[in-house]
């Protein structure tokens, strides 16, 4: 049975063709010098699974039972590359990247062919899955595939749940194995500032906004980007402004608050957003973003723009326009959460859709609230819930504004793609009950793996041409290390990756059977996961 996730567009088993043993030893064969870096990345991905069954680099004179051949073949160029990738043309517009590939299993091994190094690498990640998830031999077969969406991302949140550079590299590998190609780093928030900014070193001074030493040096950041690029993953940094700025305010005290709506002052606890009309604030933010853009090798810098509680609409729109302009002045493209659409939309605008009032799934009555133990435990009252609904009511119009303005939407709906959602108790195995109980954002209704897998991009009624891509998110309020992060991500991240690559919801009976065979992949890599009772694990 094919165990590949995402499932390929076309898969043909050669009738009567025989089986290829997987025991090895295996040799990576990449004679084309243009694939030297790809071969190195593929070797690193395979080593945890094959171990001594993988011959060392340069052992061409040692007998091998099978080759993993990496081949560039320009005849396989896709005639219609997918839309809205992370690459940018000289005009600043999206430029298609061809990730299509063909993989063949035959008597001498596995051959990965594509017109580009990206495509060869995507084929090789399929080969890694085949070799790892298959207990016996591989039937002679051919797979051909290409992605539906170009932006296939994972956001993690070291601002709240710090992950070491080494742990981030392991997440890059996980993303690459499932053909995700963006790692979005939520680097700043009220709880911490995790990227050293040379022009404002106070932001990561020892003891400031978090545990001393828990931040990324400029070398850490550059090294992570190089590592990710070798796996065709683009790192997108997020500097979340003008709200979520407590860490910045602690490091740079005295910055004035943005103008607040009449009657809001002192009604609710919130950190005052920044006023980008203030010269001192503008200068600090300009220096920060100039450094972040300079340190970032990819084309995008995320400016945040969400939940700016406590500022007027006019002040918020001014702040977003200034943040966009500062990023653009440094030669990068700004990306922001959906609220940023309220500052205007052009054809170059990309916003990240995460919420509307309906998907917040909040009760309307005391009776309904009494049946939501997670909300009661979090201390939510009906009055606070009504205030939240009022604040988020404008979100119901953000997507339509982007579509009408000719912009694009990056889909990250809280309802299904926020993987910091707790697992439902009825799908949690007994030996993981305690772990599952402490993980996840406290006010989200707990769900199972099937819930994430059932999400359909078409359910939001956004024209497909207006969808930039898909990104799963993992905010870090409950994350205390890599094991926590991967327990929340797995198995659900594989399901999101399936939809991001294929553009459609996977058929659950087939998908759950595929998921079951991926437990071995995660175990080989030392990654914790939630063994949901929805999946028939071996």
């Amino acid at each position: 049975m094919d165990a590949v996730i995402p499932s390929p567009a076309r898969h043909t088993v050669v009738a009567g063709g025989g089986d290829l043993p997987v025991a090895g030893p295996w040799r990576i064969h990449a004679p084309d010098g243009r694939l030297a870096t790809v071969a190195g990345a593929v070797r690193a991905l395979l080593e945890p699974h094959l171990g001594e069954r993988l011959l060392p680099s340069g052992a061409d004179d040692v007998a091998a039972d099978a080759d993993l051949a990496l081949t560039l073949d320009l005849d396989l160029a896709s005639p219609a590359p997918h839309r809205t990738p992370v690459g940018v043309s000289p005009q600043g517009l999206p430029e298609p990247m061809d990730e299509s590939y063909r993989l063949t299993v035959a008597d001498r091994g596995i051959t990965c062919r594509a017109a580009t190094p990206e495509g060869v690498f995507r084929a090789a990640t399929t080969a890694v899955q085949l070799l790892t998830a298959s207990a016996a031999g591989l039937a002679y077969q051919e797979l051909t595939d290409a992605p539906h969406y170009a932006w296939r991302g994972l956001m993690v949140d070291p601002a709240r749940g710090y992950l070491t550079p080494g742990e981030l590299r392991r997440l890059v590998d996980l993303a690459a194995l499932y053909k995700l190609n963006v790692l979005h780093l939520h680097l700043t928030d009220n709880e911490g500032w995790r990227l050293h900014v040379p022009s404002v070193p106070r932001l990561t001074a020892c003891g400031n906004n978090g545990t001393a030493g828990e931040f990324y040096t400029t070398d850490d950041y550059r090294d992570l980007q190089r590592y990710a690029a070798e796996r065709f993953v683009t790192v997108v940094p997020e500097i979340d402004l003008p709200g979520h700025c407590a860490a910045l305010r602690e490091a740079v005290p005295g910055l004035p608050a943005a103008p607040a709506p009449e009657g809001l002052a002192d009604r609710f606890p919130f950190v005052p957003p920044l006023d980008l009309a203030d010269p001192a604030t503008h200068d600090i933010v300009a220096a920060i973003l100039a450094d972040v853009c300079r340190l970032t090798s990819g084309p995008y810098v995320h400016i945040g723009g969400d939940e700016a509680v406590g500022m007027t609409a006019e002040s918020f729109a001014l702040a977003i326009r200034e943040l966009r302009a500062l990023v653009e002045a440094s030669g990068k493209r700004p990306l922001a959460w959906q609220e940023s659409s309220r500052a205007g939309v052009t054809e170059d605008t990309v916003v990240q859709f995460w919420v509307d009032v309906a998907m917040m799934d909040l009760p309307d009555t005391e009776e309904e609230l009494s049946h939501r133990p997670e909300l009661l435990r979090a201390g939510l009252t009906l009055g606070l819930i009504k205030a939240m609904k009022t604040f988020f009511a404008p979100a119901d119009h953000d997507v339509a504004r982007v579509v009408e303005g000719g912009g694009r939407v990056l889909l990250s709906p809280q309802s299904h793609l926020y993987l910091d959602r707790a697992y439902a108790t009825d799908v949690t195995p007994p030996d993981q009950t305690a772990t599952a109980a402490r993980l996840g954002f406290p006010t989200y209704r707990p769900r199972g793996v099937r819930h994430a897998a059932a999400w359909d991009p078409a359910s939001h009624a956004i024209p497909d041409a207006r969808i930039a891509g898909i990104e799963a998110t993992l905010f870090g309020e409950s994350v205390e290390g890599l094991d926590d992060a991967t327990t929340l991500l797995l198995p659900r991240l594989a399901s999101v990756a399936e939809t991001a690559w294929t553009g459609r919801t996977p058929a659950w009976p087939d998908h759950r059977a595929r998921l079951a065979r991926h437990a071995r992949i995660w175990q080989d890599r030392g990654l914790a996961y939630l063994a949901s009772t929805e999946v028939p694990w071996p």
Side-chain angles (χ1 to χ4, degrees):
M1 182 185 68
D2 173 28
V4 176
I5 297 176
S7 56
R10 287 177 293 279
H11 179 204
T12 304
V13 175
V14 179
D19 289 338
L20 172 69
V22 299
W26 282 81
R27 174 171 44 217
I28 296 176
H29 183 63
D32 191 323
R34 293 172 293 178
L35 294 177
T37 301
V38 172
V42 172
R43 174 176 297 280
L45 285 178
L46 267 174
E47 282 174 345
H49 308 292
L50 294 186
E52 294 182 353
R53 294 185 292 146
L54 181 62
L55 293 176
S57 179
D60 293 340
D61 56 344
V62 178
D65 287 348
D67 284 338
L68 177 59
L70 309 179
T71 304
L72 282 173
D73 186 344
L74 295 180
D75 290 338
L76 293 178
S78 174
H82 48 274
R83 298 176 305 279
T84 323
V86 291
V88 176
S89 71
Q91 294 77 31
L93 300 175
E95 181 176 276
M97 302 293 183
D98 187 356
E99 297 177 273
S100 60
Y101 70 85
R102 178 178 298 161
L103 181 148
T104 305
V105 179
D107 60 342
R108 285 299 304 148
I110 300 174
T111 301
C112 301
R113 290 187 178 90
T116 64
E118 293 93 331
V120 173
F121 182 77
R122 302 301 174 214
T125 62
T126 297
V128 173
Q129 292 188 20
L130 287 171
L131 288 171
T132 306
S134 302
L138 292 173
Y140 294 176
Q141 57 193 289
E142 182 173 271
L143 289 69
T144 56
D145 207 3
H148 184 82
Y149 294 117
W151 187 299
R152 306 177 305 276
L154 167 64
M155 190 219 79
V156 294
D157 175 20
R160 297 185 179 94
Y162 181 73
L163 298 166
T164 68
E167 289 171 335
L168 290 180
R169 287 193 290 272
R170 293 179 70 185
L171 289 181
V172 167
D173 287 343
L174 177 64
L177 279 170
Y178 290 102
K179 298 181 175 63
L180 300 177
N181 62 354
V182 174
L183 179 66
H184 169 178
L185 297 178
H186 187 79
L187 291 167
T188 73
D189 213 296
N190 292 326
E191 293 82 354
W193 190 286
R194 304 302 179 191
L195 178 64
H196 180 69
V197 177
S199 59
V200 192
R202 290 169 288 174
L203 291 165
T204 48
C206 288
N208 183 55
N209 59 68
T211 303
E214 290 190 341
F215 65 88
Y216 309 117
T217 67
T218 57
D219 285 343
D220 290 335
Y221 184 56
R222 289 191 180 102
D223 289 345
L224 177 66
Q225 291 179 92
R226 281 193 291 267
Y227 186 91
E230 290 174 354
R231 289 146 180 80
F232 300 97
V233 173
T234 297
V235 174
V236 175
E238 180 183 351
I239 305 300
D240 196 0
L241 299 171
H244 292 272
C245 58
L248 189 153
R249 286 192 173 282
E250 183 179 343
V252 188
L255 298 177
E262 185 176 353
L264 185 64
D266 301 323
R267 289 188 60 196
F268 302 103
F270 58 85
V271 176
L274 298 177
D275 181 9
L276 269 293
D278 171 64
T281 302
H282 188 279
D283 288 348
I284 286 285
V285 171
I288 290 169
L289 289 178
D291 274 356
V292 172
C293 290
R294 178 178 55 82
L295 294 168
T296 299
S297 57
Y300 286 93
V301 169
H302 200 302
I303 58 173
D306 65 313
E307 296 181 321
V309 182
M311 66 191 306
T312 63
E314 295 78 11
S315 178
F316 176 73
L318 182 148
I320 294 298
R321 288 194 293 268
E322 288 298 320
L323 293 169
R324 287 173 175 169
L326 290 170
V327 169
E328 289 168 349
S330 290
K332 302 296 181 181
R333 292 192 68 188
L335 176 71
W337 298 102
Q338 69 185 70
E339 293 95 321
S340 65
S341 65
R342 301 167 204 174
V345 174
T346 70
E347 291 184 357
D348 290 337
T349 301
V350 180
V351 306
Q352 193 162 1
F353 169 50
W354 70 281
V355 73
D356 57 33
V357 173
M359 79 168 64
M360 293 175 72
D361 190 22
L362 294 172
D364 293 313
T365 67
E366 292 287 359
E367 172 67 18
E368 292 173 350
L369 179 59
S370 70
H371 295 292
R372 296 289 300 278
E374 72 279 1
L375 301 182
L376 296 173
R377 285 194 298 268
L380 266 65
T381 65
L382 198 61
L384 183 55
I385 288 170
K386 288 180 178 178
M388 291 169 62
K389 289 183 178 181
T390 298
F391 174 76
F392 282 102
D396 289 352
H397 308 288
D398 289 335
V399 169
R401 183 182 301 110
V402 176
V403 172
E404 291 166 4
R408 289 181 174 85
V409 180
L410 179 60
L411 295 177
S412 298
Q414 179 194 88
S415 57
H416 293 80
L417 269 59
Y418 270 44
L419 302 186
D420 51 319
R421 181 179 296 274
Y423 290 98
T425 56
D426 61 347
V427 305
T428 302
D431 63 336
Q432 291 188 281
T433 299
T435 297
R438 66 177 179 79
L439 294 179
F441 194 70
T443 63
Y444 294 161
R445 189 194 297 269
R447 299 285 192 183
V449 177
R450 187 173 186 176
H451 176 75
W455 174 68
D456 182 358
S459 65
H460 304 285
I462 302 171
D464 207 44
R466 295 286 128 223
I467 297 177
I470 290 171
E471 186 171 288
T473 72
L474 180 66
F475 283 99
E477 285 90 347
S478 66
V479 172
E480 297 180 2
L482 184 65
D483 283 355
D484 286 352
T486 60
T487 299
L488 285 166
L489 290 174
L490 297 172
R492 297 182 290 193
L493 183 65
S495 301
V496 176
E498 170 95 22
T499 302
W501 179 269
T502 67
R504 61 183 182 276
T505 306
W508 177 246
D510 173 69
H511 183 65
R512 68 194 286 265
R514 293 171 189 259
L515 278 176
R517 299 181 70 187
H518 282 241
R520 182 179 171 188
I521 295 176
W522 307 330
Q523 291 163 2
D524 283 355
R525 306 191 74 82
L527 300 176
Y529 65 96
L530 196 288
S532 169
T533 58
E534 303 159 281
V535 177
W537 307 106

